[in-house]
Amino acid sequence: MNPTDGNDSADSDPVVDAVGRESVEDRQSDTRPRSSITGHDQQGQALTDGGTVSEFEQMADVSMTTAERRRQWFEEKILAPGRIVWDDWRARTGAFIVLVYLLMGTLGPLLVTAPQPNQGPRLIGAFRSLQYPLGTTASGESIFAQIIHATPSMLVMIASGAVFTVVLGTAVGTLAGYKGGRTDSALMTVTDIMMTIPGLPLTIVLAAALQIKGNPAVIGILITVNAWAGLGRAIRSQVLTLRDSEYVEASRIMGIKTPTIITGDIIPNLMPYITMNFVQQARAVIFGSVGLYFLGVLPYNNVNWGVMMNAAVERAGAVSSPLAFHWLLMPMLTIIVLALGLTLLAQGADRIFNPRVRARHAKSIGGGDDDDDGDDEDGDPPTTSTTAPGMSTAGGS
Amino acid sequence: MNYIFKRLSQSLLTVFVVVSASFGLVRLLPGGPMDYLRAQMIQQGSDLSSAEINRRIAAQTNIAVDEPLYVQYLDYMIAMVQGNFGQSIWYEEPVASIIGPAIPWTVFLTASALFLAFTVGISLGAFMAYKEGSSFDIASTGIGLFLNSTPSYVVALLLIAFLGYRFQLFPTGGRYASELTTGFNIPFLASVAYHGVLPIMSMALVGFGGWALSMRGNSIRVLGEDYLRVARLRGLSTRRIAIRYVARNAILPMYTGLMIAIGTVFGGAVIIENIFAYPGVGFYLIQAINARDYPLMMGGFILITVAMVIGITIADLTYGWLDPRAKGGGSRESY
C-alpha cells in the first residue's frame, strides 16, 4: 500500500496543513497566469494537492529555457569531461592516440593513395625514403599506405565488438543482479555456460562452420561472441552491492518501474566500470582479430594489420630474415600503440566518471572559480583508476 | 555439499550444451560441414554409391544421415560420451587419439605461464603498493601498462626472431628434441623445459603487467582500511599484516579476473602454439581448419571446452575454501 494514496482530497492535504491554510487561501486570489512548465491550468490549480504550494511555483519561475538547458547539458557532458581529460596526462595521451587513429581511419584513406603491387622497389627498410616512410613489402607495396588503408575496417570491427559486448553484458548483468531469484539463476546459468566456452577457439570454429564473409562488423561481434558473459557476471556482482542502497530503495517505494530504476539509478553508478570495460573490450577485439588474421583463419575483404603480419611471415620469412623484419614490425607497433592509447584512456575514463572529480570541474564552469580548483588534481592519489573493487585489467591473451 | 552438487551439475550442463551445439553446427547448417564432406567425397570417387558415402560420413562424424534426426542426435551424443569423437580426415586417425595426447602439452604451457604471471604479478604489485609514489613504482607502472598493451603473439614473434633465429639461444619450434626417448629421464625433461621457455615466456610476459597493476590498486585500497590500522595498533608483525591482511584481501577481488584468464589461456595458446609449431590442442585445431577437417575441428573444440570446464570447476570449488563469504550471495528473490 502506497502511503501517499490517502491524500487525494484537498481537506486533509498534509502539505496544505504544513504551509498553513491562510497562505493557501491567499493563492486563490492570485490571478497571475501560471507558468506552463508547472503543468497546472489556471482554474484547476487549487484542487490539485501539490501544485498549489508556492515553493513549486518558484521552481517554475527559475526554470530554464531550452537554450539554457542545452548549454548546461553541453557543459556537463562535454566541457567538464574534456577538462578532466586535459588535466590527467594519461587520459590526455590516450585520447590523443585514439584521436590520431580515428583521423587515420577517416581522413587517412582520402589523403594517402591506396597501396598497389609494384608501386616501389621491393623490401625497402623502414625510414629509408620519404616516399615509402615505413618501407615496402616483398611485392613492392608501401607499408605505410597499407596500414592507413587497413584502419577504417579495423575501427568498425573494434567498435562493433566492443558495443556488442558492453550492451549485452550490461543488460544481462544489471537485470540478473537487480531482479535476483529465478531471473538471476536463469541468466547466470546461461552466462556461466558462455563464460566456460573458450573464446578464441569458439570464434575459430564458428568462422569455419558459418562460412561468413569478411564484413568487419560481423567479425567484430564474432571475436567477442562470448565476452559479454564475463562482463555480465562482474556487473552483476557490482549491482548486488547497489540494489539495497537508500536511493534505489526510495525509487522502488515510489513505484518506479524496474527498467527505469536500472537505467536511472543503477547504470550511472556503474558507468566507470562499463566504460573501462568498453575500452578493454576494444583492446581485446584488436588482439583477437589481429591474432586470428595472422593465423589466416578469418575471412577478409581487404588488407588489415593481421593479414600484413601473416604475409610478412608466410611470404618473406620475416621472423628469420632481418631483411623483411620491418614488414612484420610496423603492423605490430601499430597495434601496440593503439592498445596503449586505449589502456591509458581507460585509466582516465575512471576520473571522468568519478563524481568527486567531476563535481569539482562542473562547478568551475558555473562559478568561474577555476583558479581554486586548477591545481587540486595533483593532490589526488594517482591510483583511482585501478582501485575499483573486482576490477582486473589482466587477461591471458 | 549442496553447493558442490550444484556446481558439478552446472559443469555437466555446460558440456551437454556445447556438444549439442556442435551437433547443430555440423549437421544442421545449410552449406555447412555435412554438405562439404558429401561434395568432397563425390568429387573424389564418383563411382561411390549414395549409401556408401553415407556410411563413410557416419564413420567420420558419428552422424548417420539416413536416420531420423533425433536418432542421429542420440547416436552422436552416445558416441561422444563413449569418447568417440569421430575420425580425422586429414590424419586418418580417431580424433581422440590425436587431441587427447596433445592436451597435457597445452596445459603445461598455459598453466606454467599463468602461474608465473600471477605470482610475479601479485608480488610485484604488492611491492609497488608499499613503495607507492617512488620512482620504482612509477617505472613499474609504466612497464606494466606497456606490457599489458602488447598481445602475446607479438612478444612471441619478437622472442622467436631475436632469441630463436638471430642469437640462436632457444629452439624455434617443437616440444622436445626428437632424438630423445620420451619418459621421466632427465635429458628429456630438460629438453621439454628448454623448448617450453619461449612459448611460456611470451604468454607470461604480457600477463604479469595486468596482474601487477590490479594488485597494486587493490593493495593501496586495502592499505587505507580501518582494520589495517587496528591490526597495526594491536602490534602484529609486519609479515603477518602483509600476508594475512593485505595480500589476502587484495587478491580476492582479482578472482573473477583469474577465472576469465583461465578461460582465455586456451585461446591465447592457439596462436602461440602455431607460432612455435608446438603440437598442442590449438595447433591441431588450426591444422584442422586449414585442412577443412571438420571431425578433428569439432572434436578438438569439444575437448578444449571439457578441459576448461574441469579447470574452472576446480578453481571454483577451491574458492569457497579461500573466501568463506563466497557461498550463497544474491540468490534470494528480491524485487
Side-chain angles (χ1 to χ4, degrees):
Chain A
M1 194 61 178
N2 193 331
T4 55
D5 279 356
N7 297 327
D8 286 342
S9 65
D11 317 48
S12 62
D13 191 336
V15 182
V16 174
D17 289 345
V19 175
R21 184 64 58 181
E22 293 81 11
S23 67
V24 178
E25 302 303 330
D26 286 348
R27 296 245 58 83
Q28 302 280 15
S29 58
D30 186 358
T31 52
R32 275 191 304 150
R34 300 273 160 264
S35 165
S36 62
I37 289 184
T38 58
H40 298 291
D41 63 322
Q42 292 176 25
Q43 262 72 44
Q45 53 104 3
L47 292 173
T48 58
D49 47 9
T52 59
V53 185
S54 56
E55 279 80 354
F56 286 86
E57 268 178 73
Q58 295 266 313
M59 285 253 308
D61 286 344
V62 297
S63 79
M64 295 175 294
T65 63
T66 324
E68 276 175 328
R69 252 173 228 210
R70 206 177 291 143
R71 207 170 57 116
Q72 199 193 32
W73 177 89
F74 178 73
E75 277 169 358
E76 250 176 45
K77 305 274 175 188
I78 311 282
L79 274 187
R83 276 170 209 223
I84 297 166
V85 167
W86 196 247
D87 252 12
D88 183 49
W89 72 266
R90 289 170 303 187
R92 199 162 51 204
T93 319
F96 176 72
I97 292 175
V98 172
L99 197 69
V100 167
Y101 276 79
L102 286 179
L103 287 178
M104 260 168 71
T106 49
L107 295 180
L110 303 175
L111 297 176
V112 181
T113 46
Q116 277 163 352
N118 300 318
Q119 68 180 124
R122 281 160 198 209
L123 286 177
I124 303 182
F127 313 119
R128 300 285 162 77
S129 75
L130 271 178
Q131 202 183 353
Y132 312 107
L134 302 182
T136 56
T137 68
S139 51
E141 290 172 277
S142 163
I143 291 176
F144 179 68
Q146 276 192 330
I147 287 180
I148 295 280
H149 279 265
T151 311
S153 58
M154 289 301 290
L155 292 182
V156 170
M157 190 186 300
I158 292 164
S160 80
V163 168
F164 173 74
T165 305
V166 166
V167 169
L168 203 55
T170 308
V172 169
T174 46
L175 193 65
Y178 184 75
K179 285 293 272 185
R182 288 242 174 93
T183 319
D184 185 31
S185 3
L187 282 176
M188 280 306 111
T189 307
V190 178
T191 303
D192 282 344
I193 290 175
M194 288 306 279
M195 226 172 110
T196 318
I197 301 173
L200 281 189
L202 179 64
T203 306
I204 295 171
V205 168
L206 284 181
L210 294 178
Q211 309 277 326
I212 47 156
K213 300 284 176 288
N215 184 346
V218 178
I219 302 269
I221 292 174
L222 198 68
I223 297 274
T224 56
V225 64
N226 69 342
W228 59 267
L231 177 63
R233 239 213 185 290
I235 283 186
R236 172 183 170 271
S237 56
Q238 307 243 323
V239 172
L240 283 181
T241 64
L242 282 177
R243 72 171 184 187
D244 290 328
S245 49
E246 289 87 354
Y247 59 91
V248 176
E249 213 166 329
S251 299
R252 205 151 49 226
I253 291 168
M254 283 157 70
I256 294 176
K257 288 199 177 70
T258 302
T260 320
I261 295 181
I262 288 179
T263 51
D265 292 339
I266 306 263
I267 290 184
N269 278 289
L270 298 174
M271 271 324 272
Y273 190 70
I274 293 172
T275 316
M276 189 129 168
N277 268 285
F278 181 85
V279 176
Q280 274 170 11
Q281 280 310 320
R283 208 189 54 188
V285 175
I286 304 172
F287 285 10
S289 66
V290 172
L292 293 187
Y293 276 122
F294 171 68
L295 289 186
V297 294
L298 284 184
Y300 57 93
N301 291 337
N302 61 346
V303 71
N304 74 46
W305 305 330
V307 175
M308 288 174 70
M309 286 167 60
N310 177 291
V313 172
E314 297 290 320
R315 305 223 312 260
V319 171
S320 49
S321 101
L323 259 182
F325 190 65
H326 67 279
W327 187 3
L328 181 64
L329 188 66
M330 290 306 153
M332 293 203 303
L333 284 179
T334 315
I335 299 158
I336 293 177
V337 172
L338 178 55
L340 192 62
L342 288 171
T343 310
L344 290 172
L345 198 63
Q347 306 243 317
D350 180 63
R351 295 168 64 84
I352 296 179
F353 288 101
N354 186 331
R356 275 204 321 238
V357 182
R358 205 189 153 91
R360 206 181 296 146
H361 282 263
K363 202 176 65 194
S364 69
I365 299 167
D369 49 354
D370 295 43
D371 302 341
D372 302 348
D373 308 76
D375 300 326
D376 277 10
E377 291 310 290
D378 300 336
D380 266 13
T383 54
T384 41
S385 52
T386 44
T387 51
M391 199 171 285
S392 168
T393 51
S397 58
Chain B
M1 205 57 212
N2 189 24
Y3 173 70
I4 296 177
F5 176 74
K6 257 174 74 177
R7 193 65 195 77
L8 287 180
S9 49
Q10 168 116 47
S11 306
L12 284 178
L13 180 67
T14 307
V15 173
F16 174 77
V17 167
V18 168
V19 176
S20 303
S22 76
F23 173 79
L25 270 182
V26 173
R27 175 67 189 87
L28 302 177
L29 278 179
M34 281 315 240
D35 293 348
Y36 175 79
L37 286 180
R38 179 177 298 273
Q40 204 187 30
M41 284 200 196
I42 292 171
Q43 209 177 20
Q44 278 171 358
S46 48
D47 51 335
L48 287 177
S49 68
S50 171
E52 173 67 12
I53 288 179
N54 281 349
R55 203 191 56 74
R56 287 199 182 182
I57 289 180
Q60 283 173 348
T61 61
N62 291 325
I63 297 175
V65 224
D66 33 11
E67 303 274 354
L69 197 60
Y70 73 94
V71 178
Q72 294 178 28
Y73 176 67
L74 280 179
D75 285 350
Y76 184 78
M77 297 303 269
I78 290 169
M80 289 290 164
V81 170
Q82 289 168 341
N84 177 5
F85 296 90
Q87 182 93 7
S88 161
I89 298 169
W90 182 256
Y91 293 96
E92 296 181 334
E93 260 181 83
V95 169
S97 65
I98 298 171
I99 302 286
I103 288 181
W105 293 98
T106 302
V107 172
F108 162 64
L109 288 192
T110 53
S112 327
L114 188 61
F115 177 76
L116 262 180
F118 190 71
T119 46
V120 172
I122 60 169
S123 329
L124 188 71
F127 196 63
M128 281 154 72
Y130 271 100
K131 300 264 172 198
E132 192 198 341
S134 67
S135 48
F136 168 78
D137 178 32
I138 294 170
S140 316
T141 307
I143 294 173
L145 274 179
F146 180 74
L147 286 176
N148 203 23
S149 310
T150 312
S152 54
Y153 49 84
V154 166
V155 178
L157 287 171
L158 291 176
L159 287 178
I160 202 173
F162 285 97
L163 298 185
Y165 283 104
R166 200 142 320 165
F167 301 117
Q168 312 265 330
L169 290 177
F170 288 97
T172 56
R175 302 189 289 207
Y176 47 83
S178 51
E179 69 271 14
L180 294 171
T181 48
T182 53
F184 281 95
N185 53 63
I186 290 169
F188 175 72
L189 292 181
S191 177
V192 167
Y194 185 52
H195 281 74
V197 168
L198 288 191
I200 291 172
M201 281 263 285
S202 32
M203 285 189 277
L205 267 179
V206 297
F208 92 92
W211 294 118
L213 288 183
S214 31
M215 182 65 183
R216 173 183 179 275
N218 289 340
S219 304
I220 288 172
R221 185 171 51 79
V222 174
L223 282 171
E225 295 281 356
D226 284 340
Y227 58 76
L228 215 69
R229 191 174 302 162
V230 174
R232 287 205 195 92
L233 289 175
R234 277 171 66 199
L236 298 179
S237 69
T238 330
R239 186 190 162 82
R240 191 180 153 114
I241 292 179
I243 293 174
R244 296 281 291 275
Y245 285 70
V246 182
R248 201 166 166 183
N249 279 299
I251 292 173
L252 278 179
M254 293 157 70
Y255 177 72
T256 324
L258 185 63
M259 298 283 287
I260 297 173
I262 294 177
T264 51
V265 282
F266 274 100
V270 171
I271 304 174
I272 298 293
E273 281 173 8
N274 276 279
I275 290 174
F276 289 101
Y278 197 95
V281 184
F283 180 77
Y284 287 115
L285 187 65
I286 300 297
Q287 296 278 307
I289 303 275
N290 289 338
R292 308 203 82 181
D293 187 348
Y294 287 111
L296 182 59
M297 179 182 95
M298 294 318 298
F301 176 65
I302 289 169
L303 279 169
I304 289 180
T305 311
V306 171
M308 247 185 70
V309 169
I310 293 172
I312 288 184
T313 309
I314 292 172
D316 219 7
L317 290 179
T318 47
Y319 184 57
W321 165 76
L322 235 166
D323 181 8
R325 295 168 300 182
K327 290 166 192 166
S331 54
R332 73 205 149 90
E333 175 92 53
S334 53
Y335 317 118

